[in-house]
Amino acid sequence: MLESLFSELEPGTARAALVRIAAVAEVYSLLDEIESSASRISDLVLAIKEYTYMDQAPVQNVGHREKPGEHAHHPEP
């Protein structure tokens, strides 16, 4: 089908069309790669947030065992 189409076009026009088609295909390929990369980055950020939240849990539990009026870094005299 493409052969019959390009046989009717001037050689310069056919070449320009092929270059354009190749460029569009490459752009779509790059967009797919960007989408995949963004998804992986999002997953990593979510994992870091979950890890940070889990890491804060023991600190919060220690804070609940303090005596009234005391601050973890500045105990009252």
Side-chain angles (χ1 to χ4, degrees):
M1 191 164 126
L2 286 176
E3 285 181 20
S4 65
L5 174 64
F6 286 130
S7 68
E8 296 178 22
L9 297 174
E10 295 180 15
T13 304
R15 179 176 170 77
L18 285 174
V19 168
R20 175 91 173 168
I21 291 169
V24 169
E26 186 172 352
V27 166
Y28 278 108
S29 175
L30 289 173
L31 288 174
D32 285 341
E33 187 65 32
I34 289 169
E35 183 179 354
S36 174
S37 298
S39 177
R40 289 190 305 247
I41 290 170
S42 178
D43 291 344
L44 286 172
V45 169
L46 181 61
I48 290 170
K49 285 181 177 180
E50 288 176 358
Y51 177 79
T52 302
Y53 177 76
M54 288 174 28
D55 194 38
Q56 290 176 354
V59 173
Q60 291 172 351
N61 289 337
V62 169
H64 291 292
R65 289 192 302 247
E66 294 173 6
K67 295 178 187 173
E70 283 190 356
H71 187 273
H73 298 290
H74 304 288
E76 292 183 6

